[in-house]
Amino acid sequence: MDATLQKHRRTDVELLRIVAAFLIVYFHGEGFIPAHWAYAGLTVFLIFMGYYACVGRPKPILATAQRLLIPYAVWFVFYFVLRSFLGKPIFREHDNLLTFALSSPSIHLWFLPFAFICISLLHYLRRAVPALLLGSVAVGIATVLILAVPVWKGLGISTPFIQWLHALAPVLIGVGIAQLQTQRTVYRGLALVSIIVALVIATLYGEGRTTIGYTLGIALCSVLFARESLIRPNRLVDTVAPTTMGIYLVHPAVLVILYWLGLRADTNVVVGFAVSAAGVWLVQKVLPPAVTRYLF
């Protein structure tokens, strides 16, 4: 999601963002791919978020707030109105004022406040903590979180905090990749072994539905270890990639409309992705960047 990433021109990363956005649409649809496999799409975006928050020039916290929290407010209102119009409940059963404020009437928006908090903290930590220490601690915490999947999943944590906890390990893995990629090979090797062992142990303890999304997402993000893009620049990729944040924000509404029109399963997902991407692209073409940056 380009709201969470620094500007870059690596075509392989851009293509992976598109694939990840498609998997997220699949996760919320009813396609052939199991939902816990499709969760790899969100894992990719989370790893990218942690990685790109630790490379390039840190942004002021106000700029980060404008880029993430204003779109959150806009889409909060949009889904409030949409759900009211459709006669769907606005509040979830266990919502209180805090959880509702942080997750909105449409639960998928939990990502934006979470991203704001993570990116703001990482912009501070990367200046205050040596790279080797920050990367090692990040990987260590991610390892513990993966090993403890059966524990925190059984605590009955409410929305959106359970989603935040689920997302934290991939973000920290992205931090580890960014901070350790210039360190000695032995440190990178230990970090990789740590994550792999944790995934294997969690899987053996019956948490395969959770670890498969982590594992596939981490495998896809291995492209970050390459110094240059693994594929050549592509006009279609360059056109679609800037729409991925918008796809994430708008696709639940598109899926609902298509479902109402009679589209089901994979057809609904594929058409929903295409319509979402085309709609976002059109809005980005018609409206000036000064407006669209607060939408997507």
Side-chain angles (χ1 to χ4, degrees):
M1 299 164 192
D2 37 345
T4 66
L5 306 182
Q6 299 286 343
K7 296 288 186 181
H8 54 75
R9 296 183 180 276
R10 281 189 52 170
T11 307
D12 54 354
V13 171
E14 299 285 76
L15 177 60
L16 189 51
R17 288 170 58 195
I18 297 171
V19 171
F22 178 75
L23 289 175
I24 288 174
V25 178
Y26 225 102
F27 179 82
H28 289 128
E30 298 179 355
F32 178 77
I33 300 173
H36 56 284
W37 287 56
Y39 187 85
L42 183 57
T43 300
V44 167
F45 279 127
L46 292 166
I47 292 174
F48 281 176
M49 185 176 79
Y51 180 87
Y52 285 102
C54 292
V55 298
R57 169 180 273 181
K59 292 182 179 179
I61 190 169
L62 181 59
T64 304
Q66 291 174 336
R67 192 66 187 92
L68 293 169
L69 298 186
I70 291 179
Y72 178 70
V74 169
W75 290 96
F76 187 112
V77 173
F78 172 84
Y79 282 103
F80 186 97
V81 173
L82 178 64
R83 293 184 69 85
S84 299
F85 176 77
L86 295 175
K88 294 182 176 293
I90 303 300
F91 297 92
R92 286 168 291 274
E93 182 179 356
H94 300 292
D95 265 342
N96 56 45
L97 185 60
L98 177 62
T99 59
F100 181 68
L102 292 174
S103 57
S104 86
S106 184
I107 184 58
H108 78 291
L109 295 180
W110 66 263
F111 176 84
L112 293 177
F114 174 77
F116 168 72
I117 294 171
C118 287
I119 293 173
S120 299
L121 286 174
L122 288 171
H123 283 175
Y124 167 76
L125 289 173
R126 60 181 288 202
R127 294 192 297 262
V129 182
L132 178 58
L133 178 58
L134 179 57
S136 300
V137 170
V139 170
I141 296 174
T143 300
V144 172
L145 287 171
I146 294 171
L147 289 172
V149 167
V151 176
W152 53 258
K153 284 182 67 176
L155 293 177
I157 302 172
S158 64
T159 296
F161 303 114
I162 186 63
Q163 284 85 356
W164 291 16
L165 194 55
H166 203 294
L168 187 55
V171 173
L172 292 173
I173 289 171
V175 173
I177 294 173
Q179 300 298 82
L180 298 178
Q181 63 182 353
T182 59
Q183 303 296 323
R184 294 170 56 186
T185 303
V186 63
Y187 298 126
R188 299 198 301 272
L190 288 172
L192 180 61
V193 169
S194 175
I195 296 298
I196 291 175
V197 169
L199 289 169
V200 170
I201 292 174
T203 301
L204 292 176
Y205 270 88
E207 295 297 336
R209 291 178 62 87
T210 299
T211 57
I212 187 66
Y214 285 161
T215 303
L216 291 175
I218 293 168
L220 290 171
C221 287
S222 61
V223 300
L224 292 172
F225 291 107
R227 295 188 176 182
E228 298 180 356
S229 177
L230 301 177
I231 58 177
R232 295 180 178 180
N234 180 282
R235 180 174 296 180
L236 180 60
V237 171
D238 290 341
T239 300
V240 178
T243 69
T244 52
M245 180 64 168
I247 292 170
Y248 178 82
L249 293 170
V250 76
H251 78 270
V254 174
L255 291 178
V256 168
I257 294 171
L258 293 177
Y259 190 87
W260 179 75
L261 292 174
L263 295 185
R264 299 290 188 272
D266 294 276
T267 303
N268 190 17
V269 172
V270 173
V271 175
F273 175 82
V275 170
S276 299
V280 172
W281 176 83
L282 183 61
V283 170
Q284 290 175 331
K285 284 294 182 181
V286 171
L287 298 180
V291 175
T292 58
R293 70 191 298 261
Y294 295 124
L295 295 176
F296 313 120

